[in-house]
PDB file of all heavy atoms in Angstrom:
ATOM      1  N   PRO A 480     -21.983 -30.532  14.450  1.00 93.00           N
ATOM      2  CA  PRO A 480     -22.964 -29.610  13.927  1.00 93.00           C
ATOM      3  C   PRO A 480     -23.462 -28.584  14.968  1.00 93.00           C
ATOM      4  O   PRO A 480     -23.851 -27.473  14.623  1.00 93.00           O
ATOM      5  CB  PRO A 480     -24.145 -30.501  13.502  1.00 93.00           C
ATOM      6  CG  PRO A 480     -23.645 -31.888  13.525  1.00 93.00           C
ATOM      7  CD  PRO A 480     -22.432 -31.945  14.415  1.00 93.00           C
ATOM      8  N   ILE A 481     -23.383 -28.927  16.247  1.00 95.00           N
ATOM      9  CA  ILE A 481     -23.907 -28.067  17.312  1.00 95.00           C
ATOM     10  C   ILE A 481     -23.041 -26.812  17.412  1.00 95.00           C
ATOM     11  O   ILE A 481     -23.566 -25.708  17.674  1.00 95.00           O
ATOM     12  CB  ILE A 481     -23.887 -28.776  18.676  1.00 95.00           C
ATOM     13  CG1 ILE A 481     -24.727 -30.076  18.587  1.00 95.00           C
ATOM     14  CG2 ILE A 481     -24.360 -27.863  19.809  1.00 95.00           C
ATOM     15  CD1 ILE A 481     -26.153 -29.847  18.354  1.00 95.00           C
ATOM     16  N   SER A 482     -21.723 -26.958  17.200  1.00 96.00           N
ATOM     17  CA  SER A 482     -20.867 -25.810  17.402  1.00 96.00           C
ATOM     18  C   SER A 482     -20.275 -25.357  16.073  1.00 96.00           C
ATOM     19  O   SER A 482     -19.210 -24.682  16.024  1.00 96.00           O
ATOM     20  CB  SER A 482     -19.727 -26.152  18.353  1.00 96.00           C
ATOM     21  OG  SER A 482     -18.969 -27.229  17.837  1.00 96.00           O
ATOM     22  N   THR A 483     -20.947 -25.703  14.952  1.00 97.00           N
ATOM     23  CA  THR A 483     -20.463 -25.260  13.646  1.00 97.00           C
ATOM     24  C   THR A 483     -21.581 -24.554  12.889  1.00 97.00           C
ATOM     25  O   THR A 483     -22.696 -25.050  12.795  1.00 97.00           O
ATOM     26  CB  THR A 483     -19.993 -26.447  12.806  1.00 97.00           C
ATOM     27  OG1 THR A 483     -18.966 -27.162  13.537  1.00 97.00           O
ATOM     28  CG2 THR A 483     -19.428 -26.019  11.477  1.00 97.00           C
ATOM     29  N   VAL A 484     -21.283 -23.344  12.330  1.00 97.00           N
ATOM     30  CA  VAL A 484     -22.164 -22.662  11.450  1.00 97.00           C
ATOM     31  C   VAL A 484     -21.599 -22.634  10.058  1.00 97.00           C
ATOM     32  O   VAL A 484     -20.460 -22.167   9.895  1.00 97.00           O
ATOM     33  CB  VAL A 484     -22.495 -21.222  11.950  1.00 97.00           C
ATOM     34  CG1 VAL A 484     -23.365 -20.492  10.982  1.00 97.00           C
ATOM     35  CG2 VAL A 484     -23.124 -21.286  13.332  1.00 97.00           C
ATOM     36  N   ILE A 485     -22.302 -23.220   9.111  1.00 97.00           N
ATOM     37  CA  ILE A 485     -21.824 -23.178   7.711  1.00 97.00           C
ATOM     38  C   ILE A 485     -22.597 -22.101   7.006  1.00 97.00           C
ATOM     39  O   ILE A 485     -23.834 -22.109   7.049  1.00 97.00           O
ATOM     40  CB  ILE A 485     -22.015 -24.510   6.999  1.00 97.00           C
ATOM     41  CG1 ILE A 485     -21.231 -25.602   7.682  1.00 97.00           C
ATOM     42  CG2 ILE A 485     -21.567 -24.407   5.523  1.00 97.00           C
ATOM     43  CD1 ILE A 485     -21.211 -26.922   6.969  1.00 97.00           C
ATOM     44  N   SER A 486     -21.907 -21.222   6.304  1.00 98.00           N
ATOM     45  CA  SER A 486     -22.553 -20.114   5.624  1.00 98.00           C
ATOM     46  C   SER A 486     -21.660 -19.693   4.449  1.00 98.00           C
ATOM     47  O   SER A 486     -20.521 -20.072   4.405  1.00 98.00           O
ATOM     48  CB  SER A 486     -22.763 -18.943   6.605  1.00 98.00           C
ATOM     49  OG  SER A 486     -23.429 -17.883   5.960  1.00 98.00           O
ATOM     50  N   ILE A 487     -22.219 -18.937   3.574  1.00 98.00           N
ATOM     51  CA  ILE A 487     -21.447 -18.491   2.388  1.00 98.00           C
ATOM     52  C   ILE A 487     -21.028 -17.010   2.570  1.00 98.00           C
ATOM     53  O   ILE A 487     -21.866 -16.202   2.924  1.00 98.00           O
ATOM     54  CB  ILE A 487     -22.310 -18.615   1.074  1.00 98.00           C
ATOM     55  CG1 ILE A 487     -22.466 -20.103   0.706  1.00 98.00           C
ATOM     56  CG2 ILE A 487     -21.624 -17.851  -0.066  1.00 98.00           C
ATOM     57  CD1 ILE A 487     -23.356 -20.350  -0.476  1.00 98.00           C
ATOM     58  N   PHE A 488     -19.778 -16.745   2.319  1.00 98.00           N
ATOM     59  CA  PHE A 488     -19.261 -15.374   2.337  1.00 98.00           C
ATOM     60  C   PHE A 488     -19.356 -14.872   0.883  1.00 98.00           C
ATOM     61  O   PHE A 488     -18.702 -15.389  -0.050  1.00 98.00           O
ATOM     62  CB  PHE A 488     -17.777 -15.413   2.789  1.00 98.00           C
ATOM     63  CG  PHE A 488     -17.086 -14.098   2.743  1.00 98.00           C
ATOM     64  CD1 PHE A 488     -17.652 -12.919   3.211  1.00 98.00           C
ATOM     65  CD2 PHE A 488     -15.767 -14.002   2.230  1.00 98.00           C
ATOM     66  CE1 PHE A 488     -16.947 -11.733   3.174  1.00 98.00           C
ATOM     67  CE2 PHE A 488     -15.096 -12.815   2.195  1.00 98.00           C
ATOM     68  CZ  PHE A 488     -15.657 -11.665   2.665  1.00 98.00           C
ATOM     69  N   PRO A 489     -20.241 -13.860   0.628  1.00 98.00           N
ATOM     70  CA  PRO A 489     -20.594 -13.535  -0.749  1.00 98.00           C
ATOM     71  C   PRO A 489     -19.569 -12.735  -1.515  1.00 98.00           C
ATOM     72  O   PRO A 489     -19.909 -12.228  -2.604  1.00 98.00           O
ATOM     73  CB  PRO A 489     -21.920 -12.800  -0.597  1.00 98.00           C
ATOM     74  CG  PRO A 489     -21.844 -12.156   0.741  1.00 98.00           C
ATOM     75  CD  PRO A 489     -21.041 -13.098   1.612  1.00 98.00           C
ATOM     76  N   SER A 490     -18.364 -12.540  -1.012  1.00 98.00           N
ATOM     77  CA  SER A 490     -17.377 -11.736  -1.709  1.00 98.00           C
ATOM     78  C   SER A 490     -16.831 -12.438  -2.925  1.00 98.00           C
ATOM     79  O   SER A 490     -16.601 -13.661  -2.935  1.00 98.00           O
ATOM     80  CB  SER A 490     -16.227 -11.407  -0.760  1.00 98.00           C
ATOM     81  OG  SER A 490     -15.220 -10.751  -1.427  1.00 98.00           O
ATOM     82  N   PRO A 491     -16.526 -11.655  -3.987  1.00 98.00           N
ATOM     83  CA  PRO A 491     -15.725 -12.265  -5.075  1.00 98.00           C
ATOM     84  C   PRO A 491     -14.279 -12.357  -4.635  1.00 98.00           C
ATOM     85  O   PRO A 491     -13.865 -11.717  -3.713  1.00 98.00           O
ATOM     86  CB  PRO A 491     -15.871 -11.187  -6.198  1.00 98.00           C
ATOM     87  CG  PRO A 491     -16.150  -9.899  -5.497  1.00 98.00           C
ATOM     88  CD  PRO A 491     -16.903 -10.271  -4.226  1.00 98.00           C
ATOM     89  N   MET A 492     -13.516 -13.228  -5.294  1.00 97.00           N
ATOM     90  CA  MET A 492     -12.084 -13.423  -5.008  1.00 97.00           C
ATOM     91  C   MET A 492     -11.319 -12.405  -5.871  1.00 97.00           C
ATOM     92  O   MET A 492     -11.687 -12.085  -6.996  1.00 97.00           O
ATOM     93  CB  MET A 492     -11.602 -14.801  -5.501  1.00 97.00           C
ATOM     94  CG  MET A 492     -11.719 -15.874  -4.468  1.00 97.00           C
ATOM     95  SD  MET A 492     -10.804 -15.646  -2.907  1.00 97.00           S
ATOM     96  CE  MET A 492      -9.095 -15.731  -3.416  1.00 97.00           C
ATOM     97  N   LEU A 493     -10.193 -11.939  -5.258  1.00 98.00           N
ATOM     98  CA  LEU A 493      -9.261 -11.095  -6.022  1.00 98.00           C
ATOM     99  C   LEU A 493      -7.946 -11.810  -6.259  1.00 98.00           C
ATOM    100  O   LEU A 493      -7.152 -11.328  -7.035  1.00 98.00           O
ATOM    101  CB  LEU A 493      -9.002  -9.774  -5.293  1.00 98.00           C
ATOM    102  CG  LEU A 493     -10.091  -8.720  -5.360  1.00 98.00           C
ATOM    103  CD1 LEU A 493     -11.148  -8.930  -4.328  1.00 98.00           C
ATOM    104  CD2 LEU A 493      -9.495  -7.320  -5.243  1.00 98.00           C
ATOM    105  N   TYR A 494      -7.671 -12.914  -5.546  1.00 97.00           N
ATOM    106  CA  TYR A 494      -6.388 -13.585  -5.649  1.00 97.00           C
ATOM    107  C   TYR A 494      -5.257 -12.567  -5.315  1.00 97.00           C
ATOM    108  O   TYR A 494      -4.283 -12.469  -6.016  1.00 97.00           O
ATOM    109  CB  TYR A 494      -6.203 -14.276  -7.003  1.00 97.00           C
ATOM    110  CG  TYR A 494      -7.303 -15.307  -7.267  1.00 97.00           C
ATOM    111  CD1 TYR A 494      -8.440 -14.943  -7.963  1.00 97.00           C
ATOM    112  CD2 TYR A 494      -7.244 -16.534  -6.695  1.00 97.00           C
ATOM    113  CE1 TYR A 494      -9.479 -15.838  -8.129  1.00 97.00           C
ATOM    114  CE2 TYR A 494      -8.269 -17.481  -6.864  1.00 97.00           C
ATOM    115  CZ  TYR A 494      -9.398 -17.096  -7.552  1.00 97.00           C
ATOM    116  OH  TYR A 494     -10.430 -17.980  -7.710  1.00 97.00           O
ATOM    117  N   GLY A 495      -5.519 -11.775  -4.260  1.00 98.00           N
ATOM    118  CA  GLY A 495      -4.647 -10.665  -3.947  1.00 98.00           C
ATOM    119  C   GLY A 495      -3.716 -10.972  -2.754  1.00 98.00           C
ATOM    120  O   GLY A 495      -3.191 -10.034  -2.135  1.00 98.00           O
ATOM    121  N   GLY A 496      -3.570 -12.241  -2.340  1.00 97.00           N
ATOM    122  CA  GLY A 496      -2.587 -12.597  -1.329  1.00 97.00           C
ATOM    123  C   GLY A 496      -2.700 -11.799  -0.055  1.00 97.00           C
ATOM    124  O   GLY A 496      -3.777 -11.655   0.540  1.00 97.00           O
TER     125      GLY A 496
END
Side-chain angles (χ1 to χ4, degrees):
Chain A
I481 303 295
S482 61
T483 302
V484 175
I485 299 189
S486 181
I487 290 176
F488 175 46
S490 175
M492 272 302 290
L493 282 84
Y494 302 94

